[in-house]
Amino acid sequence: MEQYFIRGGKPLRGVVDICGAKNAALALIPAAILTDEPVIISNLPDVSDINLLLDAIAQIGATVERIDRHTARIIGATVNSYSLNYEYISKIRASYYLLGALLGRFHKAEVAMPGGCVIGARPIDQHIKGFEALGASIDLEDGQIKAQADELKGTHIYFDVVSVGATINVLLAAAMADGITIIENPAKEPHVVDLANMLNSMGARIRGAGTDVIRISGVQKLHSTEYTVIPDQIEAGTFLMAGAATRGDVTVNNVIPKHLESITAKLEDIGCEIVEYDEAVRVIADGCILKNTHVKTLPYPGFPTDMQPQMAVVLTLAEGMSTVKESIFENRFKYAGELARMGAKIKIESNTAMITGVRKLKGAQVESPDLRAGAALTIAGLAAEGCTQVSGIQFIQRGYENFEDKLRRIGADICKIDTDDEAAMDDYRQRCS
Ligand code: EPZ
């Protein structure tokens, strides 16, 4: 089994090129089958979630051509099934966006019920509320979600909960509905706006994405487009946090600084210097004494829940008492025990991490419980004294392209070793003894 092996304590210094946003790409790929014409999507991150979703749309018959590792050409004309089999939803939750896309295009869809995951129950009642408001009938039987509609009619939807997934699924279903759909209390994440922009480039008429009210005027048909995925705000934020935790100097390139504002504001709060360029952001933390702060995760433009573990790791090294309140998911602190084994002083009380800063973390063997916590534990290993072994890195590879290579290029002593490779393991043990 492959694991990360890290010798910590080295400040990270340099420039990291940021990939396309995983959570935007996961919405754009299903949108491509809303038309019969070819759709080219570029700047796709080469990560397992994206590759799995491309396999999923190929499984229902779409023609998928990988022009290169970051570009795909998709033709929805050959879609020949409205039912996605279980293996995909069990591996990639976001394949439930095919519900909205197949419903929007063919007025029928069948996708396996997505289960919960380590960070929470992840219900989809708001998705179903949106589909039913558009006129679809939804049957939940045998672990399947079966949706069908004689026609989809524009409607007025008020989401009870701000939901990225539900907003995206309704945008996909409503783009070609008959009439006007108003969505109130939508998610405003950059990846929601990216989907609206791509659909508009295909001939849709969507206004207000990124605001409190989205207005969709249904159109008869959508056409081909060539579209570039926005930069990944979470990948960028993760590398900025790595720069802060290691007291280094890291610049993330190919980003939209505005998307990072809640993250850079917190880094300035704790004493880091932030420099913004047109398409890059730099964190300077050389010799910085990190100060405590208080964070609450919120829907965009608030502090992203996908940055919560990474922020918590930095705060374990900040002077004084910090708090991190997780207001989006009910169980997103599974990494806290692993951090405590590295010497962090962290306690969880009613979905809030109470953190007392320590001078140094100590290297340890740790297990990634999920994607973002895995990235956070890797940052902890980079900042810690001594050696850290991170297992469960398959979670990290779901959302970070060449994570360890990018870290190595800015000075990290990190490598990916298969634990069956005795020679490599011996070499690592010697370097760590
Ligand atoms: C998306 O998940 C992201 N995934 C998550 O990123 C991210 O953490 C989350 O949005 C919040 O920003 C993708 O984009 C593929 P939600 P999603 O619907 O859409 C509740 C990562 O690490 N809710 O916005 O599933 C839900 O329980 C992943 O990249 C309902 O109650 O999140 C949660 O408490 C992890 N009913 C809150 O809303 C619903 O019908 C926000 O969930 C839907 C959601």
Side-chain angles (χ1 to χ4, degrees):
M1 175 63 86
E2 286 186 326
Q3 298 185 8
Y4 284 153
F5 290 81
I6 300 163
R7 284 200 319 168
K10 297 173 67 183
L12 299 184
R13 290 200 173 86
V15 181
V16 183
D17 287 333
I18 297 303
C19 293
K22 165 183 83 84
N23 291 345
L26 289 171
L28 305 184
I29 290 167
I33 68 166
L34 286 171
T35 175
D36 270 340
E37 301 175 18
V39 169
I40 294 178
I41 304 174
S42 54
N43 201 32
L44 289 165
D46 184 8
V47 295
S48 54
D49 269 12
I50 298 306
N51 297 328
L52 261 173
L53 189 59
L54 289 169
D55 291 349
I57 63 168
Q59 190 257 323
I60 59 171
T63 306
V64 178
E65 180 196 345
R66 291 303 287 265
I67 296 171
D68 61 42
R69 62 185 293 214
H70 297 120
T71 312
R73 184 168 180 273
I74 298 165
I75 303 178
T78 52
V79 168
N80 55 23
S81 164
Y82 319 109
S83 170
L84 184 69
N85 63 37
Y86 176 72
E87 68 158 313
Y88 288 103
I89 198 83
S90 64
K91 288 178 189 161
I92 164 74
R93 178 188 173 74
S95 48
Y96 64 14
Y97 289 149
L98 286 173
L99 272 175
L102 289 166
L103 197 57
R105 175 84 192 280
F106 301 107
H107 292 177
K108 60 179 166 184
E110 184 174 334
V111 172
M113 273 292 282
C117 73
V118 287
I119 65 176
R122 318 262 328 244
I124 59 165
D125 55 299
Q126 297 302 301
H127 300 238
I128 291 168
K129 173 179 181 174
F131 294 148
E132 287 177 336
L134 285 164
S137 60
I138 306 286
D139 292 314
L140 306 180
E141 56 192 44
D142 315 326
Q144 294 288 105
I145 307 167
K146 295 178 182 170
Q148 73 90 28
D150 297 334
E151 57 172 347
L152 293 174
K153 285 183 74 61
T155 183
H156 193 136
I157 300 164
Y158 187 94
F159 281 132
D160 308 312
V161 179
V162 174
S163 163
V164 168
T167 305
I168 286 170
N169 244 334
V170 167
L171 280 174
L172 291 166
M176 292 192 284
D178 178 17
I180 289 173
T181 299
I182 305 283
I183 306 175
E184 299 213 50
N185 198 27
K188 297 184 256 188
E189 269 70 5
H191 29 297
V192 170
V193 177
D194 211 25
L195 173 64
N197 289 340
M198 177 173 146
L199 288 170
N200 285 340
S201 77
M202 295 167 69
R205 291 170 53 211
I206 301 169
R207 299 294 176 269
T211 73
D212 290 319
V213 182
I214 301 178
R215 180 189 172 89
I216 306 141
S217 306
V219 295
Q220 293 289 323
K221 231 169 98 67
L222 295 175
H223 54 69
S224 64
T225 189
E226 296 197 14
Y227 196 79
T228 301
V229 183
I230 52 167
D232 193 321
Q233 74 179 137
I234 305 302
E235 183 194 18
T238 301
F239 280 98
L240 290 174
M241 291 292 167
T246 59
R247 304 325 194 274
D249 181 340
V250 171
T251 299
V252 289
N253 197 24
N254 305 333
V255 299
I256 299 171
K258 173 133 191 71
H259 292 169
L260 299 173
E261 278 177 352
S262 64
I263 298 163
T264 49
K266 279 302 167 191
L267 286 169
E268 286 180 315
D269 259 6
I270 63 174
C272 298
E273 185 188 346
I274 292 290
V275 182
E276 278 192 11
Y277 305 90
D278 287 347
E279 297 184 340
V281 173
R282 179 180 176 191
V283 60
I284 304 169
D286 295 277
C288 171
I289 296 176
L290 300 175
K291 294 177 297 189
N292 67 315
T293 188
H294 303 285
V295 182
K296 178 178 180 183
T297 64
L298 287 168
Y300 190 87
F303 190 89
T305 174
D306 291 348
M307 283 299 304
Q308 179 260 89
Q310 302 91 310
M311 183 82 244
V313 165
V314 175
L315 294 175
T316 66
L317 295 163
E319 276 194 348
M321 159 73 90
S322 299
T323 58
V324 179
K325 180 159 186 55
E326 172 56 59
S327 76
I328 307 289
F329 291 113
E330 59 269 32
N331 190 24
R332 199 164 199 172
F333 287 113
K334 281 178 76 74
Y335 60 88
E338 297 297 85
L339 268 186
R341 293 176 53 243
M342 297 180 75
K345 288 193 171 35
I346 178 169
K347 274 196 337 229
I348 309 301
E349 288 167 12
S350 61
N351 234 16
T352 301
M354 322 293 278
I355 300 170
T356 305
V358 294
R359 198 183 59 76
K360 271 279 176 203
L361 294 174
K362 299 260 181 309
Q365 273 194 282
V366 291
E367 168 85 29
S368 305
D370 63 71
L371 162 59
R372 305 300 176 187
L377 290 169
T378 302
I379 292 173
L382 293 167
E385 224 163 35
C387 293
T388 296
Q389 227 172 295
V390 182
S391 57
I393 65 170
Q394 69 279 11
F395 292 115
I396 301 172
Q397 290 163 339
R398 291 185 52 188
Y400 292 92
E401 181 183 309
N402 297 345
F403 192 47
E404 70 278 4
D405 296 339
K406 289 188 175 184
L407 285 168
R408 234 190 340 267
R409 278 203 286 275
I410 54 176
D413 183 340
I414 180 173
C415 52
K416 185 168 63 180
I417 301 178
D418 186 325
T419 48
D420 295 336
D421 180 344
E422 270 315 310
M425 290 295 289
D426 286 346
D427 171 52
Y428 170 75
R429 289 188 193 102
Q430 271 165 31
R431 289 190 305 125
C432 275
S433 56

